[in-house]
Amino acid sequence: MQHGPRNKRRIALTFDADLTALMRTRLQRGKVKSYYNEALINELRAMKVPATLFLTGMWMEQYPDRTRELAADPLFELGTHTYDHRGFTKHCYTLGTVPAADMLTDVRRAVEILDKLDAHATRWFRFPGGCYDGTALHELAPAGVTAVGLDVPGADGFAKSPRPIIKQVLSHVQDGSIVVLHMHGGDNAPFTDEAIPEIVRTLRARGYTLVTVTQLMS
């Protein structure tokens, strides 16, 4: 699924929480203070914005209390984003590749972690980098997850200011859009929290209702 119904003024804002082995090393060495953008979550809460959050298993292991806290907030629903954010095809940006034989184990590992932390865990799932093919879909079928794509990449990864993020989202959304942004902040997505207020205000002024993926697809 790349978007919802095109005949309803609804948009799903989704946020990925990436954590890779390299990112975790940067965290442990003090190169990055945190890969949890608390300011972003505070903005979403202040503006009462429902959102679907896709969490890697490694992120949930790093931030179990935060995961429980997000799970308990009725604004949010949580899905998975693999265990350690490796790609499910070759040449998926610079993410590395999960061997086909390990794909199911990788995804189930993240699902099991989420299930322990969230009593309302969804089976929504997002491929890292949006990279997948027939092999990946075949291997993951027994996991019982539903892949959620996007039709609007938010361009917040490594952005230099909030402005390009705002422009990218507002110039590409349409009825039923699924927007992907990031909630890990740090040095990878440092301006998402600053971009969100204007994005939300403008979308609402245009008559859009912001919803979770579950609400979008219902």
Side-chain angles (χ1 to χ4, degrees):
M1 140 201 354
Q2 306 299 323
H3 58 78
R6 293 299 196 198
N7 60 348
K8 294 181 180 177
R9 300 285 286 173
R10 299 189 301 189
I11 288 175
L13 296 182
T14 71
F15 298 86
D16 297 351
D18 305 349
L19 198 64
T20 64
L22 181 61
M23 289 167 70
R24 187 169 61 182
T25 298
R26 290 178 62 74
L27 202 56
Q28 291 166 343
R29 291 179 178 172
K31 302 271 188 188
V32 176
K33 185 178 177 184
S34 175
Y35 279 118
Y36 172 60
N37 190 342
E38 187 171 11
L40 168 66
I41 297 300
N42 288 342
E43 288 286 0
L44 295 174
R45 284 173 169 154
M47 301 181 83
K48 296 183 170 54
V49 180
T52 304
L53 314 177
F54 292 91
L55 315 178
T56 57
M58 195 175 278
W59 192 94
M60 291 184 273
E61 287 178 340
Q62 185 71 37
Y63 301 106
D65 292 341
R66 295 299 199 182
T67 305
R68 289 189 192 94
E69 178 190 308
L70 293 167
D73 191 323
L75 272 180
F76 306 131
E77 65 177 9
L78 309 186
T80 52
H81 193 36
T82 74
Y83 178 71
D84 60 2
H85 205 256
R86 285 177 295 161
F88 277 61
T89 61
K90 292 179 180 177
H91 316 301
C92 182
Y93 304 98
T94 56
L95 298 180
T97 308
V98 181
D102 297 341
M103 288 178 177
L104 181 59
T105 301
D106 179 287
V107 170
R108 278 182 167 161
R109 187 177 180 186
V111 168
E112 287 167 7
I113 294 168
L114 180 59
D115 280 350
K116 289 175 184 172
L117 298 170
D118 179 4
H120 314 286
T122 73
R123 286 297 178 262
W124 299 130
F125 165 78
R126 176 165 283 149
F127 284 103
C131 302
Y132 65 93
D133 56 16
T135 298
L137 293 173
H138 174 76
E139 293 297 329
L140 296 192
V145 295
T146 299
V148 178
L150 63 139
D151 64 337
V152 182
D156 59 337
F158 304 102
K160 305 299 183 192
S161 76
R163 186 50 45 192
I165 306 168
I166 296 166
K167 182 180 179 185
Q168 165 70 11
V169 173
L170 296 180
S171 61
H172 288 90
V173 290
Q174 56 181 304
D175 292 4
S177 279
I178 298 175
V179 180
V180 62
L181 292 157
H182 295 85
M183 60 163 277
H184 50 257
D187 50 352
N188 288 33
F191 293 105
T192 314
D193 57 291
E194 294 181 38
I196 271 297
E198 185 172 337
I199 289 171
V200 169
R201 282 194 297 268
T202 305
L203 291 177
R204 285 174 169 167
R206 291 180 185 177
Y208 286 112
T209 300
L210 301 176
V211 296
T212 63
V213 169
T214 297
Q215 292 166 336
L216 186 73
M217 303 312 296
S218 65

